[in-house]
Amino acid sequence: MSDVQTISVELGERSYPIVIGSGLLDGGFDLCGFVTGTDCLVVSNETVAPLYLSRVLANLKGKNIATVELPDGEVHKTVATMQTILDRLVTSRANRDTTVLALGGGVVGDIAGFAAACYMRGVAFIQVPTTLLAQVDSSVGGKTGVNHPEGKNLIGAFHQPQVVMIDTSTLNTLPDRELRAGLAEVIKYGAVCDSEFFSWLEANMQALLAKEPAALAYAIRHSCELKAEVVAADERESGRRAILNFGHTFGHAIEHCLGYGEWLHGEAVAAGMLMATELSGIDTADLMRLQSLIAAAGLPVAPPAIDSDAWLRAMGMDKKVQQKQLRFVLLKTLGESHVTSSYDESCLRRLVGAD
Ligand code: NAD
Ligand code: GLY
């Protein structure tokens, strides 16, 4: 067992710890104390359950456990899949003191969290993220939800977990493509709010790709620290939290237009961050640094071919749109960002191939 690190997400009565370490699932951390009553529904998927469900069940020994296994993939991040969780809660006679535990990547976490937010108007929720992306981003901050055929993450709720337990050893089984997708969100933090972290990533990208434990542990911990700070300042995204959507207006449009799951979320965000950086009009040298880091992470540096009308229609469904006006997270410089509806329209049209 490596050192266990704990970061607190400070949200008053909704505050919770993010506990990070290698081997936590094997007894390094007892989840039982965070299960409010005696009953717990563990939600996982067909890929992750065979790998880790038995360890979670052993960790929860003494509790009354039901399980539900979802199909794998972004394409299943739907209201229909959430309904299967709600059905399981009903058939297992779950009450208001039942806890829902999500074991898996961001897709499982987002759907299970949304079910927990809805069932009986909200039951307790635990996140046990098993992808890099979920460990550095989606498990923290309480955004839960599902996709709609017309747009990504359009249906959801803010519902904070009781605890986020990150066992970094689960990354040993994560496919390389998924690891790279997670690195996109790690790079995002450096780009939007921490230039020193950006430089650290430039120096350590090969170690991260090689899954060197110390490098991964630091990248996960620091990403969680940055996210916890932003969420504590703006839980419901009325302002600053929107910077965490850097690249996502373009990225979500890519995911939607190609069909969910064709490009991974992190891949779409990577290409989207470069488009947003071009739209920002910052120094070419900084644009090139971001492009080099994204390329070094093995992520796409250009978007796929998408019809310009499809781009604009998909971006029109972005949750940052206000009064029908697109708003973007743009960089002032590497490590500093803002949300604005003031951008170069002709540059946007060029980026989406409309001119
Ligand atoms: P994912 O959940 O689809 O997981 C990726 C793949 O890895 C899946 O096939 C999964 O079954 C598999 N997997 C998971 N853990 C594994 C492990 N340890 N070993 C082997 N395979 C494993 O994708 P993701 O990248 O984790 O999450 C993407 C989702 O997260 C998107 O839907 C995105 O919108 C959402 N997201 C949400 C937030 C938020 O704040 N709620 C933030 C960022 C992204
Ligand atoms: N992934 C962006 C957020 O949690 O706000």
Side-chain angles (χ1 to χ4, degrees):
M1 262 270 309
S2 66
D3 282 354
V4 178
Q5 310 268 343
T6 302
I7 296 160
S8 180
V9 183
E10 295 294 340
L11 289 169
E13 61 183 11
R14 290 184 306 290
S15 297
Y16 55 93
I18 305 167
V19 187
I20 308 170
S22 175
L24 297 185
L25 270 176
D26 296 312
F29 183 77
D30 185 7
L31 284 165
C32 287
F34 291 91
V35 174
T36 48
T38 53
D39 296 352
C40 184
L41 177 70
V42 180
V43 182
S44 192
N45 75 13
E46 60 196 344
T47 306
V48 178
L51 294 169
Y52 299 111
L53 181 59
S54 61
R55 296 189 213 181
V56 171
L57 298 184
N59 191 305
L60 293 172
K61 200 156 179 261
K63 296 289 179 186
N64 180 29
I65 311 292
T67 60
V68 59
E69 209 173 279
L70 307 180
D72 191 359
E74 184 73 36
V75 75
H76 297 292
K77 192 176 159 183
T78 59
V79 171
T81 304
M82 186 188 80
Q83 172 79 42
T84 64
I85 303 174
L86 298 175
D87 290 346
R88 190 75 187 94
L89 283 162
V90 172
T91 57
S92 65
R93 317 300 292 171
N95 296 123
R96 276 216 163 124
D97 61 358
T98 296
T99 298
V100 172
L101 185 150
L103 170 69
V107 170
V108 167
D110 280 11
I111 310 176
F114 187 35
C118 295
Y119 187 67
M120 292 195 174
R121 301 198 179 90
V123 296
F125 171 49
I126 291 175
Q127 287 269 22
V128 181
T130 61
T131 62
L132 180 63
L133 187 141
Q135 295 180 352
V136 298
D137 193 351
S138 63
S139 65
V140 174
K143 279 189 182 174
T144 72
V146 296
N147 301 326
H148 183 276
E150 280 296 310
K152 174 91 179 156
N153 293 340
L154 288 188
I155 306 157
F158 286 96
H159 190 58
Q160 300 293 345
Q162 308 296 306
V163 61
V164 179
M165 189 190 89
I166 299 176
D167 185 339
T168 54
S169 73
T170 57
L171 300 182
N172 293 335
T173 56
L174 191 70
D176 287 345
R177 184 179 172 197
E178 299 292 348
L179 183 85
R180 290 194 293 270
L183 287 170
E185 301 281 17
V186 178
I187 293 170
K188 171 188 80 178
Y189 292 113
V192 296
C193 63
D194 191 337
S195 58
E196 259 181 50
F197 188 45
F198 190 91
S199 301
W200 182 89
L201 289 169
E202 291 178 311
N204 289 279
M205 187 49 73
Q206 289 317 311
L208 291 168
L209 288 166
K211 295 187 181 171
E212 281 184 20
L216 269 180
Y218 176 70
I220 293 167
R221 174 166 64 80
H222 196 56
S223 298
C224 287
E225 283 167 349
L226 292 170
K227 182 145 189 190
E229 192 184 302
V230 172
V231 168
D234 178 22
E235 182 183 8
R236 289 184 167 241
E237 199 169 298
S238 46
R240 180 167 168 75
R241 182 166 178 171
I243 63 169
L244 301 181
N245 294 322
F246 177 51
H248 285 56
T249 306
F250 294 108
H252 283 171
I254 292 171
E255 289 184 83
H256 172 73
C257 292
L258 293 191
Y260 296 120
E262 191 59 32
W263 273 37
L264 301 179
H265 177 71
E267 294 168 343
V269 165
M273 288 194 290
L274 284 168
M275 296 176 80
T277 304
E278 275 202 65
L279 190 60
S280 304
I282 60 168
D283 267 8
T284 310
D286 281 346
L287 171 66
M288 295 319 290
R289 275 181 75 191
L290 181 58
Q291 181 166 320
S292 301
L293 186 57
I294 287 174
L299 288 160
V301 292
I306 292 173
D307 173 76
S308 58
D309 287 340
W311 266 118
L312 294 169
R313 183 179 153 83
M315 291 197 298
M317 291 306 292
D318 187 73
K319 291 189 288 307
K320 287 184 297 305
V321 168
Q322 276 182 355
Q323 293 165 13
K324 308 282 180 210
Q325 173 88 40
L326 283 177
R327 294 189 310 142
F328 288 93
V329 182
L330 300 184
L331 297 185
K332 293 180 177 173
T333 180
L334 262 184
E336 220 188 311
S337 54
H338 64 138
V339 186
T340 181
S341 57
S342 167
Y343 55 87
D344 180 347
E345 184 80 37
S346 62
C347 177
L348 177 66
R349 291 183 64 76
R350 181 176 55 72
L351 285 169
V352 301
D355 283 338

